[in-house]
Amino acid sequence: MQVSDQNKESRTIGILALVCALLQLGIVPLFGIGDGRANLALVFAGLMAFMFGGRRGVLLAFLAGVFFDLTTTGPIGIMAFELPVMAFLLGSESRNRLIEDRTESLKEFALGSLAVGLVYGIVMLFLGQAGSLVDVVLLRVIPTFALTFVAFAAFAYFLSGGSSGGRARGPRRAGMRSGGRIRTKGL
């Protein structure tokens, strides 16, 4: 039985939003590869999609997109449109997929992140804020994807408690302690 603790979920969302916002504004501009920088609004949106899904994930992804658009030099509205679409596609199920299967979540986030980066880069190219398609792909999209994926993987590992993503490694008996939690599967 899964018990929903709204206060715990609200605290988790608030803390993650604050950490991602502070890192996006204070640390991310200092580190980059080429013209690419990590997009922690995208990381936050992916985390919310996998952790909560449904309407909540889409709404939080929209807010993250608005935050990103307001804090960068790009046009307002692109990321505010892209992130909710990605969150809708990734978080169509309202369950914590991040803990249940972290590996699959990483694969799905990688595809979603790459798609968001490509669409954003192409829109920037059409708006005249990028030199060429090669510039967009090689100097912006790929480095941004790599840095964003590494950030997402770190957050995913931390939020899933460093567990194996819901799959036990090696034989374990039901009820044995594993990673600070009581395993009751199979009882």
Side-chain angles (χ1 to χ4, degrees), residues 5 26 31 69 146 187:
D5 180 4
F31 300 100
D69 286 337
L187 286 179

Side-chain angles (χ1 to χ4, degrees), residues 55-80:
R55 290 182 191 175
R56 179 183 283 178
V58 172
L59 176 64
L60 291 168
F62 171 74
L63 294 174
V66 169
F67 171 79
F68 182 85
D69 286 337
L70 292 174
T71 59
T72 62
T73 59
I76 295 176
I78 298 172
M79 210 47 85

Side-chain angles (χ1 to χ4, degrees), residues 21 31 36 38 46 51 86 93 117 150 161 163 165 172 180 183:
F31 300 100
M51 291 173 68
M86 183 199 71
E93 302 169 22
V150 168
S163 68
R172 293 194 183 266
R183 297 183 54 89

Side-chain angles (χ1 to χ4, degrees), residues 16-124:
L16 279 174
L18 183 64
V19 168
C20 287
L22 291 175
L23 290 174
Q24 183 72 42
L25 295 174
I27 303 297
V28 167
L30 302 176
F31 300 100
I33 301 171
D35 291 335
R37 302 285 184 270
N39 182 346
L40 294 183
L42 179 59
V43 169
F44 179 77
L47 291 170
M48 294 302 103
F50 288 127
M51 291 173 68
F52 304 111
R55 290 182 191 175
R56 179 183 283 178
V58 172
L59 176 64
L60 291 168
F62 171 74
L63 294 174
V66 169
F67 171 79
F68 182 85
D69 286 337
L70 292 174
T71 59
T72 62
T73 59
I76 295 176
I78 298 172
M79 210 47 85
F81 172 74
E82 285 189 77
L83 293 186
V85 171
M86 183 199 71
F88 176 76
L89 294 173
L90 293 180
S92 59
E93 302 169 22
S94 295
R95 60 188 175 101
N96 195 344
R97 291 175 39 208
L98 194 61
I99 289 178
E100 291 176 7
D101 192 1
R102 187 176 59 222
T103 304
E104 190 63 30
S105 297
L106 288 171
K107 290 178 190 175
E108 291 177 13
F109 178 79
L111 289 174
S113 174
L114 190 57
V116 165
L118 283 171
V119 169
Y120 190 79
I122 290 170
V123 169
M124 295 295 276

